[in-house]
Amino acid sequence: MSDTQPAMPRLDPDTDGWMPSVAYCPVSLGTRLIGDRWSLLIVREMLVGASRFNAIHRAMPGLSRTLLSSRLRYLERIGVVDHVVDGRHRARSEYKLTDAGLALRPVLEALGTWTSQWQLPPTGDDELNAASLLWHMHRGLDRTTLPKKELTIGFRFPNSEPSTGWIYVGEFDSGACVGFPEREIDLTVIVEPTILGELWWGKRTCAAAIAAGDVGFEGPTDLASAYPGWFRRPTPRP
């Protein structure tokens, strides 16, 4: 057998079933190389245009500058990122994705599609749960009901960590995540993630939550009044 051919499946003695070889499985190798918490997120930010250290860091406020520096050096070492240094102005140095890094785009797109299609139950990780919820909500925004073409909704979670999040919708793009947005906030919603999840999945009405004091707002009163009508209820997965 050629050295370039993948290893053949082996018979697992405990299950009498065929299993892929763990030692030579490309999936196993790939997850060991780039399957940590931050590497793919760094690549994601670079794919959408972030090339300077500060720009990448602003997009991921939960990642310390020390750890970001370490992960960038690692990605450079395995051939995913190039560090381009300006000899005269080191502050202007940039990080560029190599061909191997650019080839991760369909991997990230497929992962995003899978996450959106299969609305999986809470993981127990508050940060992941809040980020996932905001992402689903941003996909449920009804643009026809919004007061303007560009809108940033901030979320403050007083007794939770992370303590902030945001949803942005523009004329040609949109997004959502935990952390502080780089754009000016039009309306801030003050609510705990658990309450926000109940509203999103239709377990409570926004009017009832507001009346009970579980949802508050900072910003123009007309935007606060219109906020409950900006979202389409999710269609349950069959």
Side-chain angles (χ1 to χ4, degrees), residues 34-212:
I34 204 166
D36 63 277
R37 181 178 183 183
W38 296 109
S39 291
L40 287 176
L41 296 180
I42 293 170
V43 172
R44 176 200 66 187
E45 294 307 317
M46 297 181 70
L47 282 170
V48 298
S51 62
R52 298 188 185 278
F53 184 94
N54 287 337
I56 299 171
H57 183 254
R58 281 196 302 270
M60 293 183 291
L63 174 60
S64 71
R65 295 177 69 87
T66 300
L67 184 53
L68 173 58
S69 180
S70 172
R71 297 316 298 166
L72 285 169
R73 288 196 300 270
Y74 170 76
L75 291 172
E76 186 179 2
R77 188 166 72 249
I78 66 173
V80 171
V81 168
D82 275 338
H83 188 194
V84 182
V85 179
D86 187 323
R88 294 171 299 176
H89 304 282
R90 286 191 62 85
R92 297 180 183 176
S93 65
E94 292 185 320
Y95 293 90
K96 302 287 187 182
L97 291 172
T98 64
D99 288 344
L102 291 170
L104 286 168
R105 182 184 293 275
V107 176
L108 289 169
E109 289 175 344
L111 181 60
T113 299
W114 175 80
T115 304
S116 297
Q117 180 179 357
W118 300 98
Q119 298 174 1
L120 301 178
T123 63
D125 185 319
D126 290 339
E127 182 171 353
L128 290 178
N129 292 341
S132 176
L133 175 59
L134 292 175
W135 183 259
H136 286 305
M137 289 177 63
H138 115 273
R139 289 175 61 87
L141 277 170
D142 184 352
R143 288 175 178 263
T144 64
T145 66
L146 300 182
K148 53 183 182 176
K149 292 181 179 179
E150 290 194 10
L151 184 73
T152 300
I153 310 168
F155 292 86
R156 187 159 74 242
F157 311 126
N159 301 306
S160 300
E161 186 61 39
S163 60
T164 57
W166 54 269
I167 293 175
Y168 167 76
V169 58
E171 188 172 3
F172 302 109
D173 62 341
S174 63
C177 202
V178 293
F180 294 96
E182 296 180 30
R183 300 172 176 85
E184 183 177 352
I185 295 175
D186 296 289
L187 178 71
T188 298
V189 183
I190 305 167
V191 61
E192 294 299 337
T194 52
I195 301 298
L196 195 61
E198 291 176 358
L199 301 179
W200 174 244
W201 296 112
K203 296 180 179 179
R204 296 178 67 181
T205 66
C206 196
I210 293 171

Side-chain angles (χ1 to χ4, degrees), residues 142 145-146 225-232:
D142 184 352
T145 66
L146 300 182
S225 298
Y227 167 82
W230 293 345
F231 299 90
R232 296 186 300 268

